[in-house]
Amino acid sequence: MATPGSCTKTTDVWALPEDEQGIGQRISEALPRSGWLCSHPGPKGLHQVHLHSSLGEALRCGGRQAFLLLPDAARAPEDVLVDRAVAPRADFGHSAVVQFLCSRLLRDGEGEVLEAGRLAVRWFEQKVGPESHQVLTKETNLAWRALRLATRPAIVESAQGRRISGMRIGPAAHDLVASRRMLLTRGGVQRLHLAAAPSTDQMRDSL
């Protein structure tokens, strides 16, 4: 649930590493002057944080999640080491951070289960001001359009047959789940399975 007064956008995504590469490439094409912050487990300051030129590099460095600074070209925090391949930082700080969280493969009593990651962002309009709010809204829309271009709609059903939409799945993840009849989860105990593929018109409407 969104925090009152916040501008929040989040989409659950099932993706394998090759899908993550495609998502990161599409987002970098849409927002070419921003890099990705790696994220390490443990207390702040335990590991050096870097600003990488690609999502894949940030994930390999840090682990399961990475962060994109908005607006595009915002400078990195002072304690961040900037990769030489990243475009020079601008003279303004970031107002929002887009989180990319990886999917992960779990095992339970029902076999293999693919847990969704997500793309998420939040900021407060009153805090950033109307001009920055407009910029963040535009750039968030660009990032989510990039996500849609790199993935497909994930139409899933619960064990009770209730159909749920609004999520995304990468091509490689879709092939794996479909071929193994693998269950999906958005976290917690609920298990989902892929429903029938959407029509071409439905996929076009989702872009």
Side-chain angles (χ1 to χ4, degrees), residues 147-196:
L147 173 67
R148 292 193 296 272
L149 290 172
T151 58
R152 59 189 292 176
I155 311 299
V156 299
E157 289 182 352
S158 69
Q160 295 74 34
R162 183 169 68 91
R163 183 162 290 200
I164 308 169
S165 61
M167 294 78 72
R168 307 294 298 185
I169 188 167
H174 182 276
D175 290 347
L176 177 69
V177 170
S179 65
R180 298 189 185 180
R181 298 183 180 275
M182 189 181 296
L183 293 175
L184 302 169
T185 179
R186 302 169 71 183
V189 298
Q190 186 183 43
R191 297 295 180 256
L192 308 166
H193 64 270
L194 281 176

Side-chain angles (χ1 to χ4, degrees), residues 16-170:
L16 298 186
E18 49 264 57
D19 299 319
E20 295 163 4
Q21 181 178 354
I23 293 168
Q25 180 177 344
R26 287 285 193 177
I27 293 177
S28 293
E29 290 170 356
L31 301 167
R33 296 178 295 171
S34 287
W36 291 89
L37 291 174
C38 53
S39 175
H40 300 269
K44 179 176 174 59
L46 183 63
H47 300 282
Q48 175 66 55
V49 176
H50 310 87
L51 189 68
H52 298 269
S53 61
S54 71
L55 173 61
E57 290 177 0
L59 293 174
R60 286 191 293 272
C61 179
R64 196 186 170 203
Q65 63 179 344
F67 299 96
L68 185 77
L69 302 180
L70 294 182
D72 195 25
R75 68 172 181 268
E78 293 183 359
D79 58 347
V80 170
L81 187 61
V82 180
D83 189 287
R84 292 181 180 179
V86 181
R89 301 297 86 201
D91 59 355
F92 54 89
H94 67 279
S95 302
V97 179
V98 177
Q99 178 204 36
F100 182 86
L101 180 68
C102 294
S103 304
R104 59 180 177 177
L105 193 61
L106 308 174
R107 287 186 176 274
D108 61 14
E110 299 179 72
E112 291 182 316
V113 180
L114 188 61
E115 182 180 63
R118 63 176 171 266
L119 194 69
V121 67
R122 175 187 293 171
W123 71 88
F124 292 84
E125 182 177 358
Q126 290 184 340
K127 183 176 179 179
V128 304
E131 184 175 346
S132 292
H133 171 69
Q134 290 182 359
V135 172
L136 293 174
T137 299
K138 176 182 178 182
E139 293 185 355
T140 294
N141 289 339
L142 289 174
W144 259 258
R145 183 175 188 275
L147 173 67
R148 292 193 296 272
L149 290 172
T151 58
R152 59 189 292 176
I155 311 299
V156 299
E157 289 182 352
S158 69
Q160 295 74 34
R162 183 169 68 91
R163 183 162 290 200
I164 308 169
S165 61
M167 294 78 72
R168 307 294 298 185
I169 188 167

